[in-house]
Amino acid sequence: MSSHTHTMNHSKTKGGTPALLALAISAFGIGTTEFVPVGLLSSIADDLSISITLAGLLISGYAVGVAIGAPILTALTSKMNRKTLLMSLMVLFIVGNAVSALATSYELLLTARFITAFSHGIFFSIGSTIAADLVPANKRASAIAFMFTGLTVATVTGVPLGTFIGQAFGWRATFWGVALLGVVGIIASSILVPKDLKETPPAKFSEQLKVLRNGKLLLAFAITALGYGGTFVAFTYLTPLLENVTGFSSKWVSIILLVYGIAVAIGNVVGGKASDKNPLKALFWMFMLQGVILVALTFAAPFKDVGLIAIFLMGMFAFMNVPGLQVLVVNLAEKYVPSAVNVASALNIAAFNIGIAIGSFVGGLIVDGIGLIHTPWIGALMVGGAVLLTAWLRRLEGVSQ
């Protein structure tokens, strides 16, 4: 008996790393597909003869799909075998991107994006539990972080690479490339992820409602949506901003997106370290600085050198809050609704995407209405909302610092 449990534990740590790698590869594909249209907005708009703002809906429409898909599908599929579910999601992802690549009309492309997004939200909510289950308890946070690295790396390399491929071979080639990533992910998962994963007790809708009835958690979700979403007012339209306002050629855009991605990676690491002790305090200052940088970008955008510095800083602060926001929600859930921590974390992924959807949608209205140059400072107003709500939550939680 004891030797059996020993080998089980041994295999658990051993099978952990390759399986985590498979999850990270899939996360990389899924993360790339969400943001890759940012670099291709201009070419998709020209090719399908639609406005930049309609092309922007390819990002907010996707984000809405994630937000709707995450909580609903998590509850509906809770009885399914984890590995089977993971494989089905990747199939949906591959098909969705292939349809996007073939789409001849804007409507079909938007629908394909929306459906692909359904695989995204639930992937991260079950992916987190699978990752946590693959390793000993004391390594859980770092296992989840490792899976989310796929998402960070996607912003760093996937998006600029996708932009580069799109400029060289047309935007459809980028979607084919992402579909191919999905194929690599599904093959890796089928080989590396163990079949007999521990089944998490199904999250009932009543549990989800319990989370939604907790005022402090709702406040945290609102902070996530505003604080993270504010940057997307400007980030979604970064390509046209760089080309039309700053005056960079499209060749430069993929290089600038790469630099932006590096800033994101730095921000993620710094944000994780800074949020360990007191996430609320760290978030308050991150949002303050982020707001200031977005206002500064409004004035810096017409100039190449300061504009680039502002964009680099925007990237750094845009994602610096992600680890803090996740930790905050998990901490609050453990304190107030301990039975529904998974649900709270899935709903927070929905909140990130509601923020992206609102941000890109508002950005589109501004581009149409008063012009590209106004996107950063209006994004700063959204982030300002997050500053106020974070201050309020700190008061409620009685944080004296």
Side-chain angles (χ1 to χ4, degrees):
M1 168 74 198
S2 64
S3 71
H4 173 70
T5 41
H6 176 74
T7 44
M8 250 181 70
N9 285 342
H10 184 64
S11 70
K12 190 170 176 179
T13 32
K14 211 172 163 199
T17 323
L20 279 176
L21 192 62
L23 287 172
I25 294 168
S26 304
F28 175 72
I30 288 177
T32 301
T33 208
E34 174 153 32
F35 298 136
V36 82
V38 166
L40 306 169
L41 277 193
S42 308
S43 38
I44 294 175
D46 293 346
D47 189 40
L48 296 176
S49 29
I50 51 171
S51 68
I52 280 282
T53 313
L54 275 181
L57 283 179
L58 294 170
I59 291 160
S60 36
Y62 184 94
V64 170
V66 178
I68 295 171
I72 295 176
L73 287 176
T74 305
L76 290 180
T77 55
S78 58
K79 301 259 194 321
M80 256 176 102
N81 173 292
R82 301 289 91 183
K83 183 167 181 176
T84 316
L85 178 54
L86 188 67
M87 305 301 277
S88 327
L89 291 178
M90 291 314 288
V91 171
L92 180 64
F93 175 80
I94 295 162
V95 172
N97 279 297
V99 175
S100 296
L102 294 165
T104 44
S105 72
Y106 170 68
E107 291 73 15
L108 183 59
L109 180 56
L110 190 60
T111 310
R113 293 279 298 162
F114 187 73
I115 292 165
T116 312
F118 266 54
S119 63
H120 178 128
I122 186 170
F123 173 85
F124 285 104
S125 70
I126 68 154
S128 301
T129 53
I130 292 175
D133 194 38
L134 288 167
V135 294
N138 61 340
K139 298 251 170 66
R140 284 190 140 179
S142 41
I144 294 173
F146 183 76
M147 185 191 87
F148 274 95
T149 320
L151 206 52
T152 316
V153 175
T155 323
V156 181
T157 57
V159 175
L161 200 64
T163 307
F164 178 73
I165 292 171
Q167 283 165 355
F169 307 103
W171 62 269
R172 294 169 190 279
T174 305
F175 283 110
W176 283 121
V178 177
L180 195 62
L181 280 176
V183 174
V184 175
I186 198 169
I187 293 169
S189 297
S190 68
I191 300 167
L192 301 172
V193 174
K195 271 193 202 62
D196 48 352
L197 288 161
K198 190 171 88 250
E199 297 298 310
T200 44
K204 297 191 200 66
F205 275 113
S206 57
E207 295 289 323
Q208 299 199 11
L209 290 174
K210 218 188 281 180
V211 171
L212 291 173
R213 278 203 296 266
N214 182 284
K216 288 174 180 174
L217 274 165
L218 287 180
L219 201 51
F221 296 145
I223 291 170
T224 295
L226 290 172
Y228 182 73
T231 307
F232 282 83
V233 180
F235 177 61
T236 306
Y237 298 95
L238 191 57
T239 311
L241 187 77
L242 288 168
E243 290 173 4
N244 307 341
V245 177
T246 322
F248 282 105
S249 67
S250 57
K251 284 195 184 56
W252 272 96
V253 171
S254 46
I255 298 168
I256 294 167
L257 282 170
L258 182 67
V259 173
Y260 182 90
I262 293 165
V264 165
I266 297 169
N268 236 345
V269 174
V270 175
K273 296 262 187 296
S275 305
D276 271 343
K277 281 200 189 61
N278 182 343
L280 272 172
K281 183 181 179 185
L283 286 168
F284 179 80
W285 288 108
M286 285 176 206
F287 292 141
M288 287 284 277
L289 288 164
Q290 193 182 342
V292 169
I293 287 156
L294 283 167
V295 172
L297 178 61
T298 309
F299 297 102
F303 309 100
K304 287 187 178 170
D305 37 8
V306 279
L308 277 184
I309 294 168
I311 285 163
F312 184 81
L313 290 172
M314 170 173 101
M316 198 164 98
F317 282 97
F319 287 75
M320 194 181 272
N321 52 43
V322 173
L325 289 164
Q326 285 287 65
V327 170
L328 174 67
V329 164
V330 169
N331 288 351
L332 288 171
E334 281 173 347
K335 193 164 154 188
Y336 299 111
V337 280
S339 59
V341 177
N342 277 352
V343 176
S345 140
L347 286 170
N348 202 34
I349 290 168
F352 278 112
N353 282 281
I354 289 167
I356 295 170
I358 294 171
S360 355
F361 185 70
V362 168
L365 295 178
I366 294 159
V367 171
D368 267 359
I370 52 178
L372 276 164
I373 188 70
H374 297 285
T375 51
W377 71 265
I378 291 176
L381 293 178
M382 259 178 88
V383 177
V387 171
L388 297 174
L389 293 183
T390 309
W392 185 24
L393 187 55
R394 281 176 80 184
R395 279 258 304 279
L396 290 177
E397 283 290 276
V399 181
S400 49
Q401 286 91 320

